[in-house]
Amino acid sequence: MDGRDPFAAVGMRSKVVELPQANNAMRLGPLEKIYLIWMVGGSCDGCTIAVTGATNPRVEHLLAGIVPGLPKLELIHTVTSVESGPEWVHNLFMAERGELDAPFVVTWEGSMFDETRSGDGYFMGLGEDPETGRTITSAEWMRRLAPKAAAVIAIGTCATWGGIPAAEGNPTGSMAVMDYLGKDYRSAFGVPVVNVPGCSPIGDNYMETAAAVLLFLQGLAPLPEFDELGRPAWLFGETVHRHCPKRRLLRRRRLRRVLRGQGVLGRARLLGARGPVQHRRARHPQRDGWLHADGGHLHRVHDAGLPRQVLAYSAPPGSFISSRHTSRNGRVHPQDAHRHNGGQEPERPLGRQRGPIGLGAQHAAEGCSEAPPQGLPRLPALQDRALSSCSPVA
Amino acid sequence: MAMLFRGYEIILQGRDPRDAIDISSRACGVCGGVHSSVSSQALDMAFGVQTPPMGVTVRNLGAGAEMLYDHPIHLGLLAGPDYSTALVSVTNPEIVRKAENTSAPHAHVHGYKTIKDIMDAMDPLTGAIYLEAIEFTRLGRARCATTCSASTRTRRRWCRVA
Ligand code: SF4
């Protein structure tokens, strides 16, 4: 490090990446720059990848500070930061002690672990305490950083509702950021936890939300409007169904009957099409997050209440009724809304999700001579396929 | 530095086997498509079904699309900056001096005369390769979003046809 202070990590970054475009003439508010501390809990980094796909504004423009009105972002990220090891963690210590020269926003990706369950170990460690050498868990970082943060933005289904790590069986006690910090949490600037759900989320949804929050911190815009689940209201007010290019087919009765006759509608429900009950914008696949994105039609994992219902292949609760309402007006009927929001338990266990593994295989291997054994959950698509194809295979 | 346990194996126990396609792909955000296509292959084996030829084609398309998006992400965004001038000049300046005097092979193909030029192009946020890689991941992802979902679900689509 040729005589430089090895722990001047943040300073080193500004020296390393000299950005010729950075231009203070475009600054409209009090903040020249802002630190974005991107932390992870039980995540897969898919949300990070999704955000690199955003185009409005682009992530590289925000980092270069060339978006008019927005402060320059200094990114402190677990994966893409240029520092590593103790240098990187030093940034977090500086943030906690309030030594950074600008406010910081925490973006949390992945679920919050309940570290009390991890015994002597930990589910997710992020750096060490320089004095004691003790590993600091990522959940502990959240506890230490959240009160000082200008805003806490939870990105992805994992961070907003618990997501797949919190699915049934949840060995790590995963929970959402909102659950971890409590509903009454307010950041240093008075912003509640901002939720941008989706697995993976749409990159532009995050970018627009972050830009709105930054504009608020700059004093150029009012606090954006959030719905009762902390999502930006202008992005998640409508269901996917509303913009589905095939929705008008449902309006035409004859076609509906034809579709049903072909099993298309039933199949769509069987595959867990959540369009009618999912609140999000259906958009161009390019901006539609990453591989998990299904091109906008069959998104299953964007809404609240997911953790106990990551049951990709069963119809979401309430979809039968609300698909009728949404086919007409594109919004969930208020009477149905309780069925699939707020993370409430469904009144009765959902069917067909707890199939014993291997029974279908066993059945197929036995020559498919008789009807499926009683008690085998019905998996029509697979069984049809297994039955119809067992002769060529066997 | 960071170590992580999410217990996906435990979560997958006792579930509808088809959920594996979607749950296992959340193991990694960069290579998730591979996890789901391999899960669907495992399901094929478990259920004793054969993928029809067109299904194999669609899966291959999906895998190709994922490679198109995955490699720029890895080479340009995740690993590339580690070899860039900006970082290497801080950690190992002698290597940068050596790179200045080393001519790059196949310069007529890619246009970078010395190794240092390539390292410059990998600088985070300013390098040409870095910026182009970000742009390419967007294109690759658009391709993925349309093909991968089809490829992991070929069996179901083909239920109707076969
Ligand atoms: S929400 Fe989805 S994409 Fe984001 S970290 Fe969780 S599993 Fe990965």
Side-chain angles (χ1 to χ4, degrees):
Chain A
M1 287 272 170
D2 56 359
R4 254 182 260 231
D5 172 12
F7 283 131
V10 173
M12 180 185 99
R13 174 211 322 275
S14 329
K15 263 173 251 154
V16 165
V17 186
E18 236 7 283
L19 291 164
Q21 305 101 317
N23 179 359
N24 287 349
M26 264 184 283
R27 177 145 70 95
L28 300 175
L31 298 176
E32 184 186 340
K33 66 176 174 184
I34 197 160
Y35 288 93
L36 175 61
I37 302 188
W38 189 294
M39 299 281 286
V40 296
S43 92
C44 76
D45 290 330
C47 298
T48 304
I49 302 295
V51 168
T52 60
T55 51
N56 188 23
R58 287 167 193 252
V59 64
E60 62 266 31
H61 294 174
L62 214 51
L63 292 179
I66 54 172
V67 182
L70 294 184
K72 177 173 179 305
L73 272 196
E74 290 278 1
L75 184 62
I76 299 174
H77 190 287
T78 41
V79 179
T80 62
S81 271
V82 294
E83 312 93 348
S84 63
E87 271 176 25
W88 186 84
V89 178
H90 185 70
N91 292 331
L92 302 188
F93 284 119
M94 282 171 77
E96 191 203 352
R97 292 194 295 261
E99 289 171 9
L100 294 179
D101 53 350
F104 66 93
V105 171
V106 173
T107 292
W108 196 273
E109 167 182 352
S111 61
M112 305 290 317
F113 290 129
D114 178 2
E115 294 285 357
T116 55
R117 291 198 195 187
S118 55
D120 296 339
Y122 47 84
F123 292 133
M124 167 87 185
L126 212 58
E128 287 174 355
D129 196 318
E131 275 135 42
T132 59
R134 178 182 63 95
T135 303
I136 302 177
T137 62
S138 70
E140 185 183 336
W141 276 122
M142 177 55 122
R143 206 164 52 242
R144 289 162 75 157
L145 293 179
K148 315 251 169 62
V152 174
I153 307 179
I155 178 172
T157 300
C158 291
T160 49
W161 324 128
I164 288 191
E168 196 170 338
N170 187 356
T172 54
S174 283
M175 62 188 119
V177 170
M178 247 183 171
D179 296 338
Y180 188 80
L181 293 178
K183 266 226 177 284
D184 302 327
Y185 166 81
R186 293 289 178 277
S187 72
F189 283 61
V191 185
V193 176
V194 180
N195 283 334
V196 185
C199 182
S200 63
I202 300 173
D204 271 334
N205 278 0
Y206 172 77
M207 274 306 190
E208 269 175 44
T209 313
V213 171
L214 289 181
L215 282 176
F216 163 73
L217 297 179
Q218 274 288 38
L220 294 177
L223 185 64
E225 193 188 333
F226 300 110
D227 66 9
E228 74 279 7
L229 293 173
R231 299 173 296 190
W234 74 100
L235 290 176
F236 292 89
E238 291 171 343
T239 60
V240 177
H241 204 50
R242 172 93 184 199
H243 297 290
C244 175
K246 307 215 167 64
R247 180 161 71 101
R248 73 199 147 77
L249 295 184
L250 285 172
R251 288 225 189 107
R252 300 182 19 204
R253 277 187 113 184
R254 259 190 66 207
L255 253 173
R256 195 155 65 201
R257 216 172 301 142
V258 172
L259 288 178
R260 200 171 293 142
Q262 290 175 343
V264 173
L265 281 188
R267 194 160 296 271
R269 270 195 211 111
L270 177 82
L271 301 187
R274 285 172 179 263
V277 293
Q278 292 240 327
H279 293 77
R280 59 173 283 274
R281 256 183 323 191
R283 292 191 69 164
H284 191 275
Q286 180 168 356
R287 305 186 211 121
D288 225 5
W290 60 292
L291 321 178
H292 300 326
D294 283 12
H297 303 311
L298 282 177
H299 282 266
R300 310 186 186 89
V301 280
H302 283 262
D303 248 347
L306 180 86
R308 270 161 230 93
Q309 306 159 20
V310 186
L311 314 163
Y313 298 97
S314 53
S319 69
F320 182 77
I321 298 173
S322 59
S323 60
R324 261 122 244 271
H325 290 294
T326 49
S327 64
R328 252 171 251 136
N329 54 20
R331 297 187 73 88
V332 177
H333 194 278
Q335 279 167 3
D336 302 330
H338 73 278
R339 285 172 173 268
H340 45 73
N341 74 14
Q344 288 173 5
E345 293 273 349
E347 304 98 343
R348 61 187 165 77
L350 300 163
R352 38 167 127 94
Q353 73 273 26
R354 301 278 295 171
I357 291 177
L359 269 186
Q362 196 188 336
H363 182 59
E366 280 164 9
C368 320
S369 54
E370 79 252 354
Q374 286 299 310
L376 180 73
R378 264 188 62 73
L379 307 171
L382 275 173
Q383 277 177 6
D384 291 350
R385 180 61 196 166
L387 292 173
S388 65
S389 71
C390 65
S391 40
V393 171
Chain B
M1 169 173 79
M3 284 147 275
L4 174 61
F5 171 79
R6 286 167 298 179
Y8 279 10
E9 297 83 358
I10 300 170
I11 289 172
L12 276 169
Q13 278 169 9
R15 239 165 223 286
D16 185 327
R18 291 169 297 175
D19 283 347
I21 297 177
D22 285 309
I23 292 183
S24 66
S25 75
R26 266 66 174 184
C28 169
V30 183
C31 58
V34 179
H35 292 270
S36 28
S37 44
V38 168
S39 294
S40 51
Q41 282 174 15
L43 289 185
D44 282 355
M45 286 184 214
F47 286 106
V49 295
Q50 224 166 16
T51 320
M54 189 59 97
V56 175
T57 310
V58 176
R59 281 184 185 176
N60 288 346
L61 279 175
E66 205 205 342
M67 195 186 277
L68 194 68
Y69 129 93
D70 207 356
H71 285 203
I73 277 265
H74 182 70
L75 293 177
L77 266 69
L78 301 180
D82 292 349
Y83 303 98
S84 66
T85 316
L87 291 193
V88 177
S89 62
V90 175
T91 55
N92 303 63
E94 72 283 354
I95 292 184
V96 179
R97 279 194 297 280
K98 198 172 161 196
E100 261 170 21
N101 304 322
T102 315
S103 61
H106 307 295
H108 63 283
V109 180
H110 49 67
Y112 294 108
K113 293 215 170 48
T114 62
I115 299 287
K116 169 95 175 358
D117 288 346
I118 300 181
M119 288 168 69
D120 281 345
M122 288 195 289
D123 280 354
L125 293 182
T126 49
I129 293 182
Y130 186 91
L131 294 176
E132 201 179 335
I134 293 195
E135 211 47 59
F136 254 87
T137 60
R138 288 181 184 130
L139 294 176
R141 190 178 293 121
R143 191 94 180 78
C144 266
T146 43
T147 358
C148 266
S149 61
S151 70
T152 53
R153 300 193 171 87
T154 32
R155 189 178 354 84
R156 288 202 306 264
R157 303 262 151 91
W158 276 80
C159 294
R160 301 291 321 160
V161 184

